[in-house]
Coordinates of all heavy atoms in Angstrom, one line a residue:
M1 N 0.8 -1.2 0.0 CA 0.0 0.0 0.0 C 0.9 1.2 0.0 O 1.8 1.4 0.8 CB -0.9 0.0 1.3 CG -1.8 1.2 1.4 SD -2.9 0.9 2.8 CE -3.0 2.6 3.4
L2 N 0.7 2.1 -0.9 CA 1.4 3.4 -1.0 C 0.9 4.4 0.1 O -0.3 4.5 0.3 CB 1.3 4.0 -2.4 CG 2.0 3.2 -3.5 CD1 1.7 3.9 -4.8 CD2 3.5 3.1 -3.2
R3 N 1.8 5.1 0.6 CA 1.4 6.1 1.6 C 1.4 7.5 1.0 O 2.2 7.8 0.1 CB 2.4 6.1 2.8 CG 2.4 4.8 3.5 CD 3.4 4.9 4.7 NE 3.4 3.7 5.4 CZ 4.1 3.4 6.4 NH1 4.9 4.4 6.9 NH2 4.1 2.3 7.0
T4 N 0.6 8.3 1.5 CA 0.6 9.7 1.0 C 1.7 10.5 1.7 O 2.2 10.0 2.7 CB -0.8 10.4 1.3 OG1 -0.9 10.5 2.7 CG2 -1.9 9.6 0.7
A5 N 2.0 11.6 1.2 CA 3.1 12.4 1.8 C 2.7 12.8 3.2 O 3.5 12.8 4.1 CB 3.3 13.7 1.0
E6 N 1.4 13.1 3.5 CA 1.0 13.4 4.8 C 1.1 12.2 5.8 O 1.6 12.4 6.9 CB -0.5 13.8 4.7 CG -1.0 14.4 6.0 CD -0.3 15.7 6.4 OE1 0.1 16.5 5.5 OE2 -0.1 15.9 7.6
Q7 N 0.8 11.0 5.3 CA 1.0 9.9 6.2 C 2.4 9.6 6.5 O 2.8 9.3 7.6 CB 0.4 8.6 5.5 CG -1.1 8.6 5.5 CD -1.6 7.5 4.6 OE1 -1.0 7.1 3.6 NE2 -2.8 6.9 5.0
T8 N 3.3 9.9 5.5 CA 4.7 9.7 5.7 C 5.2 10.7 6.8 O 6.1 10.3 7.6 CB 5.5 9.9 4.4 OG1 5.0 8.9 3.5 CG2 7.0 9.7 4.6
K9 N 4.8 11.9 6.7 CA 5.2 12.9 7.7 C 4.8 12.5 9.1 O 5.5 12.8 10.0 CB 4.6 14.3 7.3 CG 5.2 15.0 6.1 CD 4.6 16.3 5.8 CE 5.1 16.9 4.6 NZ 4.4 18.1 4.2
E10 N 3.6 11.9 9.2 CA 3.1 11.5 10.5 C 3.9 10.3 11.1 O 4.1 10.2 12.3 CB 1.7 11.1 10.4 CG 0.8 12.3 10.2 CD -0.7 11.9 9.9 OE1 -1.0 10.7 10.0 OE2 -1.5 12.8 9.6
T11 N 4.4 9.4 10.2 CA 5.0 8.2 10.7 C 6.5 8.4 10.9 O 7.1 7.6 11.7 CB 4.9 7.0 9.7 OG1 5.4 7.4 8.4 CG2 3.4 6.6 9.5
K12 N 7.2 9.4 10.3 CA 8.6 9.6 10.5 C 8.9 9.8 12.0 O 9.9 9.2 12.5 CB 9.1 10.7 9.6 CG 10.6 10.9 9.8 CD 11.1 12.2 9.1 CE 12.6 12.4 9.3 NZ 12.9 13.1 10.5
P13 N 8.2 10.7 12.7 CA 8.6 10.9 14.1 C 8.4 9.6 14.9 O 9.2 9.4 15.9 CB 7.7 12.0 14.6 CG 7.2 12.7 13.3 CD 7.2 11.7 12.3
V14 N 7.4 8.9 14.6 CA 7.2 7.6 15.4 C 8.3 6.6 15.1 O 8.8 6.0 16.0 CB 5.8 7.0 14.9 CG1 5.6 5.6 15.6 CG2 4.7 7.9 15.3
L15 N 8.7 6.5 13.8 CA 9.8 5.6 13.5 C 11.1 6.1 14.1 O 11.8 5.3 14.7 CB 9.9 5.5 12.0 CG 11.1 4.7 11.5 CD1 11.0 3.2 11.9 CD2 11.2 4.8 9.9
E16 N 11.3 7.4 14.1 CA 12.6 7.9 14.6 C 12.6 7.7 16.1 O 13.7 7.2 16.7 CB 12.7 9.4 14.3 CG 14.0 10.0 14.8 CD 14.1 11.5 14.4 OE1 13.3 12.0 13.5 OE2 15.1 12.1 14.9
R17 N 11.5 7.9 16.8 CA 11.5 7.7 18.3 C 11.8 6.2 18.6 O 12.5 5.9 19.5 CB 10.1 8.0 18.8 CG 10.1 8.6 20.2 CD 8.8 9.2 20.6 NE 8.2 10.1 19.6 CZ 7.0 10.0 19.0 NH1 6.2 9.1 19.3 NH2 6.6 10.9 18.2
Q18 N 11.2 5.3 17.8 CA 11.4 3.9 18.1 C 12.8 3.5 17.8 O 13.4 2.7 18.5 CB 10.4 3.0 17.2 CG 10.5 1.5 17.6 CD 10.1 1.3 19.0 OE1 9.1 1.8 19.5 NE2 10.9 0.5 19.7
L19 N 13.4 4.0 16.7 CA 14.8 3.7 16.4 C 15.7 4.2 17.5 O 16.7 3.5 17.8 CB 15.2 4.4 15.0 CG 14.7 3.6 13.8 CD1 15.0 4.5 12.5 CD2 15.5 2.3 13.6
V20 N 15.5 5.4 18.0 CA 16.3 6.0 19.1 C 16.3 5.0 20.3 O 17.3 4.7 20.8 CB 15.9 7.4 19.4 CG1 16.5 7.8 20.7 CG2 16.2 8.4 18.3
I21 N 15.1 4.6 20.7 CA 14.9 3.7 21.8 C 15.7 2.4 21.6 O 16.5 2.0 22.5 CB 13.4 3.5 22.1 CG1 12.7 4.7 22.6 CG2 13.3 2.3 23.1 CD1 11.2 4.7 22.6
D22 N 15.5 1.8 20.4 CA 16.1 0.5 20.1 C 17.6 0.6 20.0 O 18.4 -0.1 20.6 CB 15.6 -0.1 18.8 CG 14.1 -0.5 18.9 OD1 13.6 -0.6 20.0 OD2 13.5 -0.7 17.9
L23 N 18.1 1.7 19.3 CA 19.6 1.8 19.1 C 20.3 2.2 20.4 O 21.4 1.7 20.7 CB 19.9 2.8 18.0 CG 19.5 2.4 16.6 CD1 19.7 3.5 15.6 CD2 20.2 1.1 16.2
E24 N 19.7 3.1 21.2 CA 20.3 3.5 22.4 C 20.3 2.4 23.5 O 21.2 2.3 24.2 CB 19.6 4.8 23.0 CG 20.1 6.0 22.3 CD 19.6 7.3 22.9 OE1 18.6 7.3 23.7 OE2 20.1 8.4 22.6
A25 N 19.3 1.5 23.4 CA 19.3 0.4 24.3 C 20.4 -0.6 24.0 O 21.1 -1.2 24.8 CB 18.0 -0.4 24.2
R26 N 20.7 -0.7 22.7 CA 21.7 -1.6 22.2 C 23.1 -1.0 22.3 O 24.1 -1.7 22.7 CB 21.4 -2.1 20.8 CG 22.5 -3.0 20.2 CD 22.1 -3.5 18.9 NE 21.1 -4.6 19.1 CZ 20.7 -5.4 18.2 NH1 21.1 -5.2 16.9 NH2 19.8 -6.3 18.4
H27 N 23.3 0.2 21.9 CA 24.6 0.8 21.7 C 24.9 2.0 22.6 O 26.1 2.4 22.6 CB 24.8 1.3 20.2 CG 24.6 0.2 19.2 ND1 25.6 -0.7 19.0 CD2 23.6 -0.1 18.4 CE1 25.2 -1.5 18.1 NE2 24.0 -1.2 17.7
G28 N 24.0 2.5 23.3 CA 24.2 3.7 24.1 C 24.1 5.0 23.3 O 23.7 4.9 22.2
P29 N 24.5 6.1 23.9 CA 24.3 7.4 23.2 C 25.2 7.7 22.0 O 25.0 8.5 21.2 CB 24.5 8.4 24.3 CG 25.3 7.7 25.3 CD 25.0 6.3 25.2
L30 N 26.3 6.9 21.9 CA 27.3 7.1 20.9 C 27.4 5.8 20.1 O 27.4 4.7 20.6 CB 28.7 7.4 21.4 CG 28.8 8.8 22.1 CD1 30.2 8.9 22.7 CD2 28.5 9.9 21.2
L31 N 27.6 5.9 18.8 CA 27.9 4.8 17.9 C 29.4 5.0 17.4 O 29.8 6.2 17.1 CB 27.0 4.8 16.7 CG 25.6 4.3 16.9 CD1 24.7 4.6 15.7 CD2 25.6 2.8 17.1
S32 N 30.1 3.9 17.3 CA 31.4 4.0 16.7 C 31.8 2.7 16.1 O 31.0 1.7 16.2 CB 32.4 4.3 17.8 OG 32.5 3.3 18.8
G33 N 32.9 2.6 15.5 CA 33.5 1.4 14.9 C 32.5 0.7 13.9 O 31.9 1.3 13.1
T34 N 32.5 -0.6 14.0 CA 31.7 -1.4 13.1 C 30.2 -1.1 13.2 O 29.6 -1.1 12.1 CB 31.9 -2.9 13.4 OG1 33.3 -3.2 13.3 CG2 31.2 -3.8 12.4
A35 N 29.7 -0.8 14.4 CA 28.3 -0.5 14.5 C 28.0 0.7 13.7 O 27.0 0.8 12.9 CB 27.9 -0.3 16.0
L36 N 28.8 1.8 13.8 CA 28.5 3.0 13.0 C 28.7 2.7 11.5 O 27.8 3.2 10.7 CB 29.5 4.1 13.5 CG 29.4 5.4 12.7 CD1 28.0 6.0 12.9 CD2 30.5 6.4 13.3
Q37 N 29.7 2.0 11.2 CA 29.9 1.7 9.8 C 28.7 1.0 9.2 O 28.2 1.3 8.1 CB 31.2 0.9 9.6 CG 31.4 0.2 8.3 CD 32.3 -1.0 8.4 OE1 33.3 -0.9 9.1 NE2 32.0 -2.0 7.7
K38 N 28.2 0.0 9.8 CA 27.1 -0.8 9.3 C 25.8 0.0 9.3 O 25.0 -0.1 8.4 CB 26.9 -2.1 10.2 CG 28.1 -3.0 10.1 CD 28.2 -3.6 8.7 CE 29.4 -4.6 8.6 NZ 29.7 -4.9 7.3
M39 N 25.6 0.8 10.4 CA 24.3 1.6 10.4 C 24.3 2.6 9.2 O 23.2 2.9 8.7 CB 24.2 2.4 11.7 CG 24.0 1.6 12.9 SD 22.3 1.1 13.0 CE 22.5 0.0 14.4
L40 N 25.4 3.1 8.8 CA 25.5 4.0 7.7 C 25.5 3.3 6.3 O 25.5 4.0 5.3 CB 26.7 5.0 7.8 CG 26.6 5.9 9.1 CD1 27.9 6.8 9.1 CD2 25.4 6.7 9.2
G41 N 25.5 2.0 6.4 CA 25.5 1.2 5.1 C 26.8 1.0 4.4 O 26.7 0.7 3.2
F42 N 27.9 1.2 5.0 CA 29.2 1.0 4.4 C 29.6 -0.5 4.5 O 29.5 -1.1 5.5 CB 30.3 1.9 5.0 CG 30.1 3.3 4.7 CD1 29.5 4.2 5.6 CD2 30.5 3.8 3.4 CE1 29.3 5.5 5.3 CE2 30.3 5.2 3.1 CZ 29.7 6.0 4.0
P43 N 30.0 -1.0 3.3 CA 30.3 -2.5 3.3 C 31.6 -2.8 4.0 O 31.8 -4.0 4.4 CB 30.4 -2.8 1.8 CG 30.8 -1.5 1.2 CD 30.1 -0.4 2.0
S44 N 32.5 -1.8 4.2 CA 33.8 -2.1 4.8 C 34.3 -0.9 5.6 O 33.8 0.2 5.4 CB 34.8 -2.5 3.8 OG 35.1 -1.4 3.0
A45 N 35.2 -1.2 6.5 CA 35.8 -0.1 7.2 C 36.6 0.9 6.3 O 36.6 2.1 6.5 CB 36.8 -0.6 8.3
A46 N 37.2 0.3 5.3 CA 37.9 1.2 4.3 C 37.0 2.1 3.6 O 37.3 3.3 3.3 CB 38.7 0.3 3.3
A47 N 35.8 1.6 3.2 CA 34.8 2.5 2.5 C 34.3 3.6 3.5 O 34.2 4.8 3.0 CB 33.6 1.7 2.0
F48 N 34.2 3.3 4.7 CA 33.8 4.3 5.7 C 34.9 5.3 5.9 O 34.6 6.5 5.8 CB 33.5 3.6 7.1 CG 33.2 4.6 8.2 CD1 31.9 5.1 8.3 CD2 34.2 5.0 9.0 CE1 31.6 6.0 9.3 CE2 33.9 5.9 10.1 CZ 32.6 6.4 10.2
R49 N 36.1 4.9 6.0 CA 37.2 5.8 6.2 C 37.4 6.8 5.0 O 37.6 7.9 5.1 CB 38.5 5.1 6.4 CG 38.8 4.6 7.8 CD 40.2 4.1 8.0 NE 40.6 3.1 7.1 CZ 40.4 1.8 7.2 NH1 39.8 1.3 8.3 NH2 40.8 0.9 6.3
Q50 N 37.2 6.2 3.8 CA 37.3 7.0 2.6 C 36.2 8.0 2.5 O 36.5 9.2 2.2 CB 37.3 6.1 1.3 CG 37.6 6.9 0.1 CD 37.8 5.9 -1.1 OE1 37.1 4.9 -1.2 NE2 38.8 6.3 -2.0
A51 N 35.0 7.7 2.8 CA 33.9 8.6 2.8 C 34.1 9.7 3.9 O 33.8 10.9 3.6 CB 32.5 7.9 3.1
A52 N 34.6 9.3 5.0 CA 34.9 10.3 6.1 C 36.0 11.3 5.6 O 35.9 12.5 5.8 CB 35.3 9.6 7.3
S53 N 37.0 10.8 5.0 CA 38.1 11.7 4.5 C 37.6 12.6 3.5 O 38.2 13.7 3.3 CB 39.3 10.8 4.1 OG 39.0 10.2 2.8
R54 N 36.6 12.2 2.7 CA 36.1 13.1 1.6 C 35.0 14.0 2.1 O 34.4 14.8 1.4 CB 35.5 12.2 0.5 CG 36.6 11.5 -0.2 CD 36.0 10.6 -1.3 NE 37.1 10.0 -2.1 CZ 36.9 9.1 -3.0 NH1 35.7 8.7 -3.3 NH2 37.9 8.5 -3.7
G55 N 34.6 13.8 3.4 CA 33.5 14.6 4.0 C 32.1 14.2 3.4 O 31.2 15.1 3.3
Q56 N 32.0 12.9 3.1 CA 30.7 12.5 2.5 C 29.9 11.6 3.4 O 29.0 10.8 2.9 CB 31.1 11.7 1.2 CG 31.7 12.6 0.1 CD 32.1 11.8 -1.1 OE1 32.3 10.6 -1.0 NE2 32.1 12.5 -2.2
L57 N 30.1 11.7 4.7 CA 29.2 10.9 5.6 C 27.9 11.6 5.8 O 27.8 12.9 5.8 CB 29.9 10.7 7.0 CG 31.2 9.9 6.9 CD1 31.9 9.9 8.3 CD2 30.9 8.5 6.4
P58 N 26.8 10.9 5.9 CA 25.5 11.5 6.0 C 25.1 12.1 7.4 O 24.1 12.8 7.5 CB 24.5 10.4 5.7 CG 25.3 9.2 6.1 CD 26.7 9.4 5.8
V59 N 25.9 11.9 8.4 CA 25.7 12.4 9.7 C 27.0 13.0 10.2 O 28.1 12.7 9.7 CB 25.2 11.4 10.7 CG1 23.9 10.8 10.3 CG2 26.2 10.2 10.9
A60 N 27.0 13.9 11.2 CA 28.2 14.5 11.7 C 28.9 13.4 12.6 O 28.3 12.7 13.4 CB 27.8 15.7 12.6
V61 N 30.2 13.3 12.3 CA 31.0 12.4 13.1 C 32.1 13.3 13.8 O 32.4 14.4 13.3 CB 31.7 11.3 12.3 CG1 30.6 10.3 11.8 CG2 32.5 11.8 11.1
F62 N 32.6 12.8 14.9 CA 33.6 13.5 15.6 C 34.6 12.6 16.3 O 34.3 11.4 16.4 CB 32.9 14.4 16.7 CG 32.0 13.7 17.5 CD1 32.4 13.2 18.7 CD2 30.6 13.6 17.2 CE1 31.5 12.5 19.6 CE2 29.7 12.9 18.0 CZ 30.1 12.4 19.2
T63 N 35.7 13.1 16.8 CA 36.6 12.3 17.5 C 36.5 12.7 19.0 O 36.0 13.8 19.3 CB 38.1 12.6 17.0 OG1 38.4 13.9 17.1 CG2 38.2 12.1 15.6
I64 N 37.0 11.8 19.8 CA 37.1 12.1 21.3 C 38.6 12.0 21.7 O 39.2 11.0 21.3 CB 36.2 11.1 22.0 CG1 34.8 11.2 21.6 CG2 36.4 11.2 23.6 CD1 33.9 10.2 22.3
P65 N 39.1 13.0 22.4 CA 40.5 13.0 22.8 C 40.8 11.6 23.5 O 40.0 11.1 24.3 CB 40.6 14.1 23.7 CG 39.5 15.1 23.4 CD 38.4 14.2 22.9
N66 N 42.0 11.1 23.2 CA 42.5 9.9 23.8 C 41.7 8.6 23.5 O 41.7 7.7 24.2 CB 42.7 10.0 25.3 CG 43.6 11.2 25.6 OD1 44.7 11.3 25.0 ND2 43.2 12.0 26.6
R67 N 40.8 8.7 22.4 CA 40.1 7.5 22.0 C 40.3 7.4 20.5 O 40.5 8.3 19.8 CB 38.6 7.7 22.2 CG 38.1 7.9 23.6 CD 38.0 6.6 24.4 NE 37.2 5.6 23.7 CZ 35.8 5.5 23.9 NH1 35.2 6.4 24.6 NH2 35.2 4.6 23.2
R68 N 40.3 6.1 20.0 CA 40.5 5.9 18.6 C 39.2 5.9 17.9 O 38.2 5.5 18.4 CB 41.2 4.5 18.4 CG 42.6 4.4 19.0 CD 43.1 3.0 18.9 NE 43.9 2.9 17.7 CZ 44.4 1.8 17.4 NH1 44.3 0.7 18.1 NH2 45.2 1.8 16.3
G69 N 39.3 6.3 16.6 CA 38.1 6.2 15.7 C 37.2 7.4 15.7 O 37.5 8.5 16.4
R70 N 36.1 7.3 15.0 CA 35.2 8.4 14.9 C 33.9 8.0 15.6 O 33.5 6.8 15.6 CB 34.9 8.7 13.4 CG 36.1 9.3 12.7 CD 35.7 9.6 11.3 NE 36.8 10.3 10.6 CZ 37.8 9.7 9.9 NH1 37.9 8.4 9.9 NH2 38.7 10.5 9.3
F71 N 33.1 8.9 16.0 CA 31.9 8.7 16.8 C 30.8 9.5 16.2 O 31.0 10.6 15.6 CB 32.1 9.1 18.3 CG 33.2 8.3 18.9 CD1 34.5 8.7 18.8 CD2 32.8 7.2 19.7 CE1 35.5 7.9 19.5 CE2 33.8 6.4 20.3 CZ 35.2 6.8 20.2
A72 N 29.5 9.0 16.4 CA 28.3 9.8 16.0 C 27.3 9.6 17.1 O 27.3 8.6 17.7 CB 27.8 9.3 14.6
L73 N 26.4 10.6 17.2 CA 25.3 10.5 18.1 C 24.3 9.5 17.6 O 23.9 9.5 16.4 CB 24.7 11.8 18.4 CG 25.5 12.9 19.1 CD1 24.8 14.2 19.1 CD2 25.9 12.4 20.5
T74 N 23.9 8.5 18.5 CA 22.9 7.5 18.1 C 21.6 8.2 17.6 O 21.0 7.8 16.6 CB 22.6 6.6 19.3 OG1 23.9 6.0 19.7 CG2 21.7 5.5 18.9
R75 N 21.2 9.3 18.3 CA 20.0 9.9 17.9 C 20.1 10.5 16.5 O 19.1 10.5 15.7 CB 19.7 11.1 18.8 CG 19.2 10.6 20.2 CD 19.0 11.8 21.1 NE 18.5 11.3 22.4 CZ 17.2 11.1 22.7 NH1 16.3 11.4 21.9 NH2 16.9 10.6 23.9
E76 N 21.2 11.0 16.1 CA 21.4 11.6 14.8 C 21.3 10.5 13.7 O 20.7 10.7 12.6 CB 22.7 12.4 14.7 CG 22.8 13.2 13.4 CD 23.9 14.2 13.4 OE1 24.4 14.6 14.5 OE2 24.4 14.6 12.3
V77 N 21.9 9.4 14.0 CA 21.9 8.2 13.0 C 20.4 7.7 12.9 O 20.0 7.5 11.8 CB 22.9 7.1 13.5 CG1 22.7 5.9 12.6 CG2 24.3 7.6 13.4
A78 N 19.7 7.6 14.0 CA 18.3 7.2 14.0 C 17.5 8.2 13.2 O 16.6 7.8 12.4 CB 17.8 7.1 15.4
G79 N 17.7 9.5 13.3 CA 17.0 10.5 12.5 C 17.3 10.3 11.0 O 16.4 10.4 10.2
W80 N 18.5 10.1 10.7 CA 18.9 9.9 9.3 C 18.2 8.7 8.7 O 17.7 8.7 7.6 CB 20.4 9.8 9.2 CG 20.9 9.5 7.8 CD1 20.9 10.4 6.7 CD2 21.4 8.3 7.3 NE1 21.4 9.8 5.6 CE2 21.7 8.5 6.0 CE3 21.7 7.1 7.9 CZ2 22.3 7.5 5.2 CZ3 22.2 6.1 7.1 CH2 22.5 6.3 5.8
L81 N 18.2 7.6 9.5 CA 17.6 6.3 9.0 C 16.1 6.5 8.8 O 15.5 6.1 7.8 CB 17.8 5.2 10.0 CG 19.2 4.7 10.0 CD1 19.4 3.7 11.2 CD2 19.6 4.0 8.7
A82 N 15.4 7.2 9.7 CA 14.0 7.5 9.6 C 13.7 8.4 8.4 O 12.7 8.2 7.7 CB 13.5 8.2 10.9
T83 N 14.6 9.4 8.1 CA 14.4 10.2 7.0 C 14.5 9.4 5.7 O 13.7 9.6 4.7 CB 15.4 11.3 7.0 OG1 15.3 12.1 8.1 CG2 15.3 12.2 5.7
L84 N 15.4 8.5 5.6 CA 15.6 7.6 4.5 C 14.3 6.8 4.2 O 13.8 6.7 3.1 CB 16.8 6.6 4.6 CG 18.2 7.2 4.5 CD1 19.2 6.1 4.7 CD2 18.4 7.9 3.2
Q85 N 13.8 6.2 5.3 CA 12.6 5.4 5.2 C 11.4 6.2 4.8 O 10.6 5.8 3.9 CB 12.3 4.7 6.5 CG 11.0 3.9 6.5 CD 11.1 2.7 5.6 OE1 12.1 2.1 5.4 NE2 10.0 2.4 4.9
A86 N 11.3 7.4 5.3 CA 10.2 8.3 5.0 C 10.3 8.7 3.5 O 9.3 8.7 2.8 CB 10.2 9.6 5.8
G87 N 11.5 8.9 3.0 CA 11.6 9.3 1.6 C 11.3 8.1 0.7 O 10.9 8.3 -0.5
A88 N 11.6 6.9 1.1 CA 11.3 5.7 0.3 C 9.9 5.4 0.2 O 9.4 4.7 -0.7 CB 12.0 4.5 0.9
N89 N 9.1 5.9 1.1 CA 7.6 5.6 1.2 C 6.8 6.6 0.4 O 5.6 6.6 0.4 CB 7.1 5.6 2.6 CG 7.6 4.3 3.3 OD1 7.8 3.3 2.7 ND2 7.7 4.4 4.6
L90 N 7.5 7.6 -0.2 CA 6.7 8.6 -1.0 C 6.1 8.1 -2.3 O 6.6 7.2 -2.9 CB 7.6 9.9 -1.3 CG 7.9 10.7 0.0 CD1 8.8 11.8 -0.4 CD2 6.6 11.2 0.6

């Protein structure tokens, strides 16, 4: 069943809220490493690193002093995923 644009606007916040709850329960407030790479749909760590070096990641990533790797807020990744789903349902 196809959804109207109005129905999609209504379901995005619900989906986003559920994704935040599920992802934060599993990963906490920050995503990093393989979990972040897989959530963003990158097939390998090398592909993730290359996209990051080119500034082509779909969410803001940051480093933490004295920690290895890049990090992203779980809520921001959940919002991005919900936006993708909402766009796919148009």
Side-chain angles (χ1 to χ4, degrees):
M1 181 175 142
L2 292 175
R3 296 180 183 182
T4 66
E6 190 62 37
Q7 289 170 325
T8 300
K9 287 179 187 176
E10 292 172 5
T11 58
K12 182 187 177 275
V14 173
L15 175 62
E16 185 173 349
R17 213 170 310 123
Q18 189 59 50
L19 282 169
V20 168
I21 291 167
D22 293 347
L23 293 176
E24 283 187 343
R26 177 175 283 187
H27 300 285
L30 294 176
L31 284 167
S32 67
T34 303
L36 178 58
Q37 167 200 320
K38 295 295 180 190
M39 290 286 172
L40 297 180
F42 288 99
S44 67
F48 175 83
R49 280 192 304 273
Q50 188 169 37
S53 71
R54 292 179 177 171
Q56 295 178 332
L57 295 176
V59 297
V61 294
F62 53 90
T63 58
I64 297 176
N66 302 316
R67 298 278 310 271
R68 295 175 95 181
R70 292 180 174 92
F71 299 84
L73 294 175
T74 303
R75 288 179 180 269
E76 191 168 336
V77 173
W80 176 73
L81 290 170
T83 300
L84 287 179
Q85 178 62 36
N89 287 332
L90 290 178

